[in-house]
Amino acid sequence: MHTQTESTEVQRRPDRPSCLPGGAELSAAQATALRLLSEQVAIPLDQLARFLDCPLEQAVAAMQGLDDAGCLRHRRFLVRDMPWFWLNVRGARLSGTGFVASAPDVAMLAHRRAVNEVRLYLAERAPAGRW
């Protein structure tokens, strides 16, 4: 579960943040990844590439740029699993979703992977749908 930040005023949430800290432009893949990671809490690299509809190498490059900008964390929790990515405070703020940063719980990785699969399946079946 996520916790949204409380605010007394309406927060503007851009569909796509325009730049990283330091002024570097976000690629479309990076903007999508920020939003996805914020909404899903954590995503393994293989699923992230499927969400971004790109080869694994392009997903790695997008994550490297976000990592270089200090927006995310990553870790390989299990020996034969892909590395998982999640946002830190800076990345959560840049995502524009209003969700706070949250590190994944190892006990919930299988659940997170399953929820990600459901979202991928629904996106394929109803591309105009909204999560």
Side-chain angles (χ1 to χ4, degrees):
M1 285 292 223
H2 275 327
T3 305
Q4 280 192 303
T5 56
E6 295 293 325
S7 175
T8 56
E9 59 187 61
V10 176
Q11 293 178 351
R12 286 195 77 206
R13 295 188 181 135
D15 290 336
R16 181 176 171 217
S18 61
C19 64
L20 294 167
E25 280 294 312
L26 277 174
S27 70
Q30 288 171 327
T32 299
L34 280 173
R35 189 162 198 83
L36 280 166
L37 289 167
S38 178
E39 293 171 353
Q40 300 299 110
V41 177
I43 304 174
L45 182 60
D46 59 317
Q47 286 182 328
L48 191 58
R50 290 172 51 210
F51 273 118
L52 299 176
D53 193 26
C54 69
L56 212 51
E57 296 77 23
Q58 281 182 304
V60 168
M63 294 301 94
Q64 184 64 51
L66 291 174
D67 189 33
D68 291 346
C71 294
L72 57 79
R73 305 279 317 261
H74 58 90
R75 179 175 171 201
R76 186 181 306 264
F77 290 98
L78 304 171
V79 174
R80 292 192 175 116
D81 199 8
M82 290 281 183
W84 285 72
F85 293 85
W86 65 96
L87 298 179
N88 60 21
V89 172
R90 176 183 277 182
R93 191 172 36 251
L94 188 59
S95 76
T97 62
F99 294 122
V100 297
S102 177
D105 179 355
V106 171
M108 295 297 292
L109 291 181
H111 172 76
R112 294 228 175 270
R113 186 176 274 282
V115 171
N116 293 338
E117 281 300 325
V118 169
R119 185 169 180 173
L120 283 161
Y121 174 80
L122 292 174
E124 182 180 302
R125 303 282 279 168
R130 186 165 180 227
W131 182 256

